Amino acid sequence: MKIVLSKLLLVFFLAGILIAGCKRVEKKAEDTTKEIIRVGVFDKNGDSPYCITDAMEALRIDPKIECKVVSASEIVSGALDHYDVILFPGGGGRSETGSLGEIGIEKVQKMVQEQGKGVVGICAGAYILSNTPDYPCLAMSGGEAIDIEHDHRGHGLAKFTLTAEGEEIFPELKGRKLSFCQYYEGPVLVPAKGDIKYTSLATMESDVHTVAGTPANMTNNRPFIILSEAGKGKTASFVGHPECTPGMRWMVPRLVRWVANKELVKYGSNVVRPDFYKNEIIFTKEVSDLQSKYYSQLTGTKEERLESIEKVVTMACWSAKKWVPGMLRDKDPEIRMAAAKGVVLLERTDAIPDLVAAVQIETNQQCKAELQRNLKLLKAMIGSK
């Protein structure tokens, strides 16, 4: 299994982003609406803050989406009246529904089923939307999570294929034999009992069972993305994590548009990059040990730091998003330039303030120019100047 892309490919990807320039969203000619889609991203008192940040940043790709964090206390106090869509990010399904409580759950259900609004669930959010016996959930996706006793089964860059229905929603991926997306212990879904039926947009092809005691052949050939109609409203569930997968973050605002009954506009080639990853990368013990090596090398010699910045990006390391921006503050200008390139490759638009600060204090003129170039590329992903 090849788990590392070549430096030549990294250069190619950066060139592709540069060509895209400041193009943020390429809209269809007929898309003339100025209506804003208001999205509330659920925050259970800071639970899994990176999942919340990732979701917020992915939504910022779309200039017509305004997103804010919404808490359980705000929901029960009437905040849902101000949103068109609620997004449940990754984290802990039980803790998020536990925070909502029965009153909060009922309010979200009414928002969708009676008011015709939408909900998107990512990973833990897909658990929340499911109709799973003996599990606190909203019962609005038409899916049931099984094998919950082996929920901690592993993670990695999973491969998936689109169904015919999926190609209608994501035409940018049409005709692809395989696409890739981060997966971190998302639900194994099957059709649930009840009136709500789901439509599968994609099938997970990876068999993830790296944790001892977890069964094989549970995740593969299962739904990866599902849509459903619940009463007057709509729901979308994503078993994986597109919001933190370089080249695939745009799938989140696309699903938001679908559940909000809005036109499915196109996004720029600087964010629609399905070829960024070309291979499945499952974090077996061997791969996890290699990841640990590269993380430790981020405080090693200059050569080790340069190698590790590249490797944690190309290996699809889950916490690369946390470590690479910090390297912008390395004392070596070559390291700072490598970190700036890595931040762009990871599409870490939340690191824009880090790059702005790095540019402001930079004294090496060559490095300063490189930092400014990458800052421009990063800002272009969300249409900022």
Side-chain angles (χ1 to χ4, degrees):
M1 175 181 66
K2 185 177 180 181
I3 61 172
V4 182
L5 300 175
S6 68
K7 292 184 179 180
L8 181 60
L9 283 176
L10 285 176
V11 173
F12 173 79
F13 290 133
L14 269 180
I17 301 174
L18 183 59
I19 291 173
C22 291
K23 290 171 63 179
R24 178 186 183 187
V25 176
E26 300 171 350
K27 302 177 190 174
K28 295 179 181 178
E30 63 270 23
D31 179 32
T32 58
T33 179
K34 294 183 180 180
E35 186 177 359
I36 296 297
I37 305 170
R38 301 162 300 174
V39 181
V41 177
F42 187 65
D43 179 2
K44 200 277 297 177
N45 300 321
D47 189 33
S48 299
Y50 270 102
C51 289
I52 296 166
T53 297
D54 290 341
M56 298 278 285
E57 293 300 315
L59 292 174
R60 293 175 70 192
I61 290 171
D62 194 315
K64 299 298 183 183
I65 291 178
E66 287 185 356
C67 57
K68 295 181 179 180
V69 170
V70 61
S71 67
S73 60
E74 290 172 323
I75 286 175
V76 299
S77 299
L80 295 182
D81 292 338
H82 305 295
Y83 295 104
D84 304 299
V85 175
I86 294 298
L87 187 149
F88 289 99
R94 289 182 184 273
S95 64
E96 290 186 45
T97 49
S99 177
L100 275 176
E102 292 181 342
I103 294 175
I105 288 174
E106 186 176 84
K107 283 186 174 291
V108 176
Q109 289 171 328
K110 288 183 176 180
M111 168 192 174
V112 177
Q113 296 170 331
E114 297 180 11
Q115 299 178 34
K117 297 184 178 182
V119 178
V120 174
I122 298 174
C123 192
Y127 268 115
I128 292 170
L129 286 174
S130 73
N131 184 2
T132 302
D134 301 319
Y135 188 91
C137 51
L138 297 173
M140 291 195 297
S141 74
E144 175 187 336
I146 62 170
D147 198 42
I148 294 180
E149 61 270 28
H150 298 119
D151 175 58
H152 301 295
R153 64 185 75 253
H155 70 283
L157 188 71
K159 54 188 179 183
F160 70 92
T161 55
L162 289 184
T163 63
E165 293 82 1
E167 291 182 342
E168 293 295 319
I169 305 295
F170 305 110
E172 297 89 340
L173 305 180
K174 187 174 183 178
R176 294 178 61 84
K177 184 177 180 181
L178 290 173
S179 295
F180 301 89
C181 180
Q182 288 277 14
Y183 168 84
Y184 210 114
E185 300 176 344
V188 176
L189 297 176
V190 297
K193 295 179 180 179
D195 296 331
I196 299 176
K197 307 299 179 184
Y198 66 72
T199 297
S200 176
L201 300 187
T203 303
M204 183 167 170
E205 305 293 348
S206 293
D207 181 12
V208 181
H209 60 104
T210 59
V211 177
T214 55
N217 298 311
M218 287 299 300
T219 61
N220 50 315
N221 300 314
R222 304 289 187 178
F224 202 53
I225 311 170
I226 62 173
L227 303 179
S228 66
E229 295 186 5
K232 296 179 180 179
K234 295 179 177 180
T235 76
S237 301
F238 209 123
V239 170
H241 283 274
E243 81 286 4
C244 66
T245 306
M248 308 300 264
R249 296 188 310 141
W250 57 276
M251 299 180 81
V252 178
R254 179 66 55 77
L255 288 176
V256 163
R257 281 186 165 270
W258 187 86
V259 300
N261 294 307
K262 303 300 181 183
E263 185 176 7
L264 306 184
V265 301
K266 296 180 180 179
Y267 301 114
S269 56
N270 56 344
V271 292
V272 181
R273 300 183 295 146
D275 286 322
F276 185 81
Y277 289 116
K278 296 180 180 293
N279 299 283
E280 174 192 72
I281 306 173
I282 304 302
F283 275 69
T284 60
K285 184 181 185 305
E286 178 184 5
V287 178
S288 295
D289 288 346
L290 192 58
Q291 172 184 249
S292 297
K293 169 192 171 183
Y294 290 130
Y295 280 152
S296 67
Q297 285 186 180
L298 288 171
T299 55
T301 66
K302 175 180 178 179
E303 290 72 23
E304 288 176 335
R305 300 201 303 279
L306 286 171
E307 178 187 33
S308 294
I309 290 172
E310 177 192 345
K311 299 301 186 184
V312 297
V313 173
T314 58
M315 283 179 61
C317 296
W318 181 262
S319 293
K321 58 191 177 186
K322 178 172 66 175
W323 294 110
V324 174
M327 303 304 289
L328 290 168
R329 292 176 279 278
D330 193 277
K331 289 186 177 181
D332 190 292
E334 193 173 347
I335 301 295
R336 296 195 293 274
M337 288 189 286
K341 182 176 72 172
V343 165
V344 173
L345 288 172
L346 290 169
E347 300 181 23
R348 297 312 307 177
T349 50
D350 58 304
I352 287 176
D354 297 274
L355 256 178
V356 169
V359 170
Q360 289 176 344
I361 66 173
E362 186 57 61
T363 58
N364 181 297
Q365 292 306 305
Q366 179 186 358
C367 183
K368 191 180 190 74
E370 182 66 10
L371 295 180
Q372 288 174 324
R373 185 181 73 86
N374 282 287
L375 177 59
K376 182 178 181 180
L377 294 174
L378 200 61
K379 286 184 173 182
M381 293 177 182
I382 55 172
S384 181
K385 295 182 180 180

